[in-house]
Each structure stands twice: as structure tokens, then as C-alpha cells.
Amino acid sequence: MLRGLLLRLEVRDSGGGRPEVRSPDADQCSGRGLRLAWELADDFGVTEHAVGKTVWLAFKIASAPAWLRSRA
């Protein structure tokens, strides 16, 4: 979703539990995705619903490319 110069990415699922940013050991095969998203995004959060949750990331952008502006 593009609003002005803010690009927001949302991922929703119906699973239980609240996602958490972890710091896995170097030999672990998982647990880095949310950490990477958290480090790269300008803002980050989780919105809980009656069933499931939405993890969202917001990125400030200098200007939107034409193909993205046409979808806003």
C-alpha cells in the first residue's frame, strides 16, 4: 500500500501466537526473517485480530516509481 511517500507491506495469517524478533545462533537454520525485516523497515508492528494477526512494515521512500504510483 502506498500513501504519499510511505510504502507499507502487510502479511496476515490466521495462526495463533505473536511473532517475535529473535537473535538466533549462527548454526540455527531459521529465525532471521523477522529480524531482517525489523532492521530494514522504518517502522514495524503487529496488529492482532479476533482470529490471527497482521505483521506490517513501513518504508519511507524518496519518490515512488511510476509503476507503483499507478497502483496507489
Side-chain angles (χ1 to χ4, degrees):
M1 170 183 356
L2 179 66
R3 292 204 174 145
L5 295 179
L6 187 67
L7 177 65
R8 184 170 162 133
L9 170 68
E10 299 178 349
V11 178
R12 184 171 180 170
D13 69 34
S14 59
R18 185 170 177 87
E20 61 182 65
V21 176
R22 297 185 281 172
S23 297
D25 293 331
D27 61 342
Q28 289 182 298
C29 295
S30 64
R32 291 173 182 78
L34 218 47
R35 166 70 64 187
L36 179 61
W38 179 70
E39 292 286 345
L40 293 174
D42 292 300
D43 200 4
F44 166 90
V46 178
T47 303
E48 295 186 35
H49 307 283
V51 176
K53 70 251 177 219
T54 299
V55 176
W56 58 268
L57 309 165
F59 302 90
K60 295 176 188 171
I61 56 176
S63 64
W67 65 268
L68 188 54
R69 284 193 306 265
S70 67
R71 295 174 182 233

